[in-house]
Structure formats: C-alpha cells, structure tokens
Amino acid sequence: MPSRRPGCPYCGAQVTLAGDPGGDGLYTVKCAKCGNLLKIPAQDNTTEKLPPPTEKVPPPSSPEARARHAAELHEDGTRLLESQKFPAAVTKFRAASDKAPDNVEILSALAHACSRANMAYDALAAYKRILDIDPDNREALLKTGMLYIQLKRPALGAAALHRLLEFDPGHEQARLMLEIATAQKKDEEKSTGAPSATPRRDVLAELAGLVLSAGWGKTGLVAAEWILPLAAFVAIYQTIGSESVYMDGLLAAMFLYCVFLGVVAHELGHGAAALMCGDRTALNAGRLSLDPLRHLSFLGTIAVPALVYIAAGVMFGWAKPVPFDPMKMDRHPRDLAFVAGMGPFASFASACVSFTLFLAVAAAHNIDHPEAYLRFTSELGSPLDAGSGRWEAFWFVALEITALSAVANLIIGAFNLIPLPPLDGGWLLKCAAPRSGEWLNRLMWPGAIAVIGLIYSGFAPLVFYPVYVALAGFYFVSGLVL
C-alpha cells in the first residue's frame, strides 16, 4: 500500500511511496510539489530520512520549468497529431505556445494542427505570429500566402508570396500559388466589376455618396445633435452672464464637447484609412458616420470619466473605437501603420481647421468690437472677453468653441502618439519593429495604466511638449493675421 511521509530535501513537502521496488531494489518516488525524483531503498521503508534527490527540478514558475512543460505538451500534441486527433492536438499546442510564446517550432506545429482541423483563421494567426518573430521565415510566408488564397484574399496572399520569392526566386510552389492568386484576383474583379481592394482615389467619392444617400431627414438629425449643444451654450451664457460663478462649469462643458468632437474625427480618420486599404469593416458596420450616438461608449465615455473625475479630479475617457480587420488589408505592415497614423493626422488636421475658423471668427469679432480686441491664446481656463452687446453670447461661444477645439485636437493627437499600447503609437511601434509584436500585446492593460500615470504625473509637460510648440505657433500666427 502507498504510504505518505514528510521530508523532501528540496522543498520539505510530503512524498508518496507507491508500488513495488524496481530491479535495483529501490523505490522511485516523485515529489508532488516540486517534482524531484528520489530513490528510496526497499529495505529502508521504515526510516523517515530520505536520500538526496537524484534530479533537481526547478520551481514550476521558473523559465526552465515552463520550457520543460512546453516541451512535454509539444510531445503530447505531436502524438495526437500522428493519431489524427486534430482538435485535441490544437489544444495541446496552444497550451505549449502559452508556455513558450516565442518558440517557432511549437507555433509551426500549432499552425499545422489548425490547418488539419479546418481552422484556417487560427492557422493563419499562428503563421503570422511566426512572421512577427521571424519576418523571413520561408515556410510561414508560403503557408500564409496559401491560406490567404484559400480565404479569398488574393492580394494579401500575393504580397506574402512576393516576399518569399525575393529570398528564393526559384521557389516553384510559390510561383504556382502566385499564379493562382493572380487568376483569383482577376476572377474577383470580373465578378464584381471593380478591383478587389478599394482604390484610394475612390474613397472620398464613396464617402461623399454615403453622406448623400443618408437623406435630408437623417442628415438634419445628425446636424441637430451637434448644433443643439452649441445653442444650449449660447442660451446658458445669455442667462448667467460672464461674471457668473457657474462660468467654470460652462467652460468645462464646452471643452468636453470639443474633446468628444475631436475623438469622433480621430476615429473617422482610422475608419477612412482602413477603407483606403481595402478593409470595409467600419463601413459595413455603419461606423463611418458623424452621428455622435454611434461613437458613444457607456464605459469609456460615461462610466470611466465619471469615476476617474470623482476619485482623482481629472478627466480620462474614450469613444467607441472604429472596428477594422488587419487581415482584410492589402499590404502589411504598411497599411496597418497607415491606419494607425491616420488617427493622429486627423486630429492635427482638425486642430488646424479649428484654428483657421477661430481666425475668421476673431477677425469678424474684432471689426464688430474694436474695444475688445482678441487674438488666440492657450490660457482658456478663463473666459474670453467677447465684449458686450446684443451678440455677446454668440461671439463668446463661437470664439471659445473654435479655440478649445484647436487645443483639444492637438492634445488628442499628441496623446495617441505615445508609443505604448493600446494607443496608436503602440501600433506604429509594432509595425516598425515586428519582432516586438508579441511583447507589446502583453503590455495592453499595463500600458494603459502606465499612460494614465504618465499623463497625470510630473512628466506630462514632456509628453505634451509638441502641443506647447504648436500653440506658440498659433499665437504667433494669430498676431500676424489679426
């Protein structure tokens, strides 16, 4: 009968003596906690002192233990694969890849098992992880191209095969698959009457058609959703006056309005860029829209900002991200970098448009109120002096909204360029250094926490230094123009 006794010399845990002794007269015992293999003399079954371990096993959390566990799972998966138990093999290989995420051999076995189990998208994801680790892996390039062709994405398959042929021009299988991709692409163009990927020159026409097809009723409703808050700001200012104690609250509400407008423009930049690269996910989901209700996120736009403001007295939040599918883009990583960079570009472009509108409004205001001359300023915590008169509320709201919008969009653009996930700068870093992709993916939530801590720390002026430079430029230009 098995008997339990204390005294593993490595961890002190109890061990179990089970079964008959071997031919050498020794019991073979394995500690259940640390995994040490021990040899116990059969005649010494009554003693409590155990001999030193014959094999020192590292703790289960150590890199050596994880690597050994991954190797065991890989062996189990290989046996299941040979037995044609493909779903079970996929499970084993996935567990092994979790233990050793950078092991190309395990990832290759996982991709092969997924292919045999008819899990094409999972196989493609595994091969793309291999290419993140080793962009020149020829097997991964070939299989990626073949899977893209199987999934009716000939342009992406051809891109992978072209890259393989750059290393091995005589690769016959790659040339054959490239011919298939070319034929598939031609058939697709014939059946649809248009190229498989949306040409960049047609995107603006398609977006304009989308706006025109919305109809006057829907377009008017969307316009009203943006205009009614402005009318409310005018009415509130007209009621409370410029010296009211509620002016700080009004300025905060106007700034939040400008921030949300800037975030919508930022997300539309991502969606339009994805459409240019052949990904119609955002368009088909109806997210390429100026309707603010489509971009509201209960968690990011309402719950988190309220909780963070109550807890720390600062504002932090986000709008609902515009969806995109990297697998549907024509070229990697160029298109992914283009989509990631288009968001900050849209923010900076919106800042320039807002500043131009401010110059136009301020010029008209200075003509109407020469006694209250105004130029652009970044010190918008205090209300602008719009003068007095019948149109005082209108001038105040118009000037404040355009100035605040310029500042808000500069902040949004600079904030999203911080090179940490999940911000756009993290995506750009991943495109610039593909080998860091797996490591950056693990930093998603830690990166978000680090970004919040960085922004609301003493290093915030360093992060937003480009914003200060741009605001100084706006101030200088406004002095010249006005």
Side-chain angles (χ1 to χ4, degrees):
M1 293 292 294
S3 61
R4 297 185 62 82
R5 60 181 67 204
C8 173
Y10 187 68
C11 67
Q14 291 184 338
V15 296
T16 301
L17 303 179
D20 297 326
D24 54 0
L26 299 176
Y27 287 97
T28 299
V29 178
K30 184 176 183 180
C31 178
K33 182 177 181 180
C34 66
N36 283 318
L37 298 178
L38 312 174
K39 291 290 187 177
I40 307 298
Q43 63 274 16
D44 193 29
N45 196 33
T46 60
T47 181
E48 292 296 326
K49 185 178 180 181
L50 298 178
T54 59
E55 179 183 351
K56 187 175 181 179
V57 179
S61 59
S62 67
E64 295 83 0
R66 291 174 62 87
R68 188 171 66 176
H69 191 192
E72 293 173 356
L73 291 170
H74 181 245
E75 292 177 2
D76 294 341
T78 302
R79 286 193 294 268
L80 291 170
L81 191 61
E82 292 172 351
S83 302
Q84 298 187 356
K85 298 179 180 179
F86 304 126
V90 169
T91 302
K92 290 290 184 180
F93 288 135
R94 276 182 176 159
S97 66
D98 290 339
K99 299 290 182 182
D102 296 331
N103 191 308
V104 174
E105 182 181 1
I106 293 177
L107 290 173
S108 180
L110 172 60
H112 179 62
C114 290
S115 297
R116 297 297 300 273
N118 294 322
M119 302 165 63
Y121 284 99
D122 297 87
L124 182 59
Y127 282 123
K128 291 177 71 175
R129 285 175 60 187
I130 293 175
L131 292 176
D132 288 338
I133 299 170
D134 180 12
D136 300 336
N137 189 291
R138 300 188 181 188
E139 178 189 3
L141 286 171
L142 176 63
K143 296 298 178 63
T144 298
M146 295 172 67
L147 284 168
Y148 271 130
I149 293 172
Q150 177 184 341
L151 296 173
K152 307 299 182 183
R153 298 294 299 168
L156 297 177
L161 295 170
H162 276 303
R163 180 165 179 79
L164 174 58
L165 290 172
E166 290 178 3
F167 302 117
D168 188 1
H171 200 296
E172 293 297 332
Q173 190 174 5
R175 289 188 175 278
L176 176 61
M177 295 305 301
L178 186 59
E179 293 177 2
I180 296 174
T182 303
Q184 189 181 86
K185 188 174 181 180
K186 290 181 179 179
D187 292 340
E188 184 177 336
E189 292 176 0
K190 288 180 181 179
S191 61
T192 60
S196 56
T198 305
R200 284 173 168 76
R201 63 178 179 274
D202 293 340
V203 170
L204 293 179
E206 186 166 2
L207 292 176
L210 186 65
V211 174
L212 295 175
S213 65
W216 287 107
K218 187 174 181 180
T219 303
L221 179 62
V222 172
E225 291 173 350
W226 289 109
I227 294 174
L228 285 178
L230 298 178
F233 295 148
V234 172
I236 293 172
Y237 181 86
Q238 190 74 36
T239 302
I240 66 176
S242 60
E243 303 297 330
S244 172
V245 295
Y246 300 108
M247 182 56 65
D248 289 343
L250 177 60
L251 289 175
M254 295 171 71
F255 183 69
L256 290 177
Y257 172 88
C258 294
V259 168
F260 186 69
L261 178 61
V263 170
V264 170
H266 180 94
E267 295 298 333
L268 287 178
H270 287 311
L275 182 62
M276 291 181 185
C277 296
D279 177 22
R280 303 174 64 86
T281 303
L283 180 64
N284 295 336
R287 295 297 311 284
L288 290 184
S289 170
L290 288 172
D291 187 351
L293 299 180
R294 291 182 177 269
H295 299 277
L296 281 175
S297 167
F298 174 78
L299 180 64
T301 314
I302 300 175
V304 171
L307 292 175
V308 173
Y309 185 78
I310 293 173
V314 295
M315 292 298 299
F316 178 80
W318 61 89
K320 186 186 298 183
V322 171
F324 69 96
D325 186 355
M327 289 181 58
K328 295 181 179 179
M329 295 179 186
D330 297 330
R331 293 184 61 183
H332 292 269
R334 183 202 65 179
D335 286 351
L336 187 58
F338 178 68
V339 172
M342 197 63 179
F345 176 80
S347 296
F348 294 136
S350 298
C352 293
V353 171
S354 299
F355 174 66
T356 303
L357 291 175
F358 173 85
L359 293 179
V361 174
H365 168 270
N366 292 343
I367 294 174
D368 190 36
H369 292 276
E371 78 285 356
Y373 170 82
L374 285 176
R375 65 187 295 183
F376 184 85
T377 176
S378 60
E379 298 177 0
L380 298 172
S382 301
L384 294 172
D385 182 11
S388 59
R390 181 178 180 183
W391 297 96
E392 177 185 355
F394 168 79
W395 288 121
F396 172 80
V397 172
L399 290 166
E400 286 284 358
I401 286 293
T402 51
L404 288 171
S405 182
V407 175
N409 279 285
L410 287 175
I411 293 174
I412 292 170
F415 174 75
N416 277 276
L417 283 178
I418 297 175
L420 284 174
L423 300 178
D424 299 331
W427 284 97
L428 292 172
L429 180 60
K430 187 186 298 186
C431 295
R435 294 177 184 270
S436 65
E438 188 68 26
W439 176 73
L440 288 173
N441 288 338
R442 299 177 188 173
L443 291 179
M444 193 66 66
W445 281 108
I449 296 173
V451 166
I452 297 174
L454 183 65
I455 295 303
Y456 298 114
S457 68
F459 296 99
L462 297 178
V463 176
F464 292 112
Y465 182 75
V467 176
Y468 301 139
V469 174
L471 291 177
F474 284 176
Y475 180 81
F476 176 75
V477 172
S478 69
L480 293 178
V481 175
L482 299 176

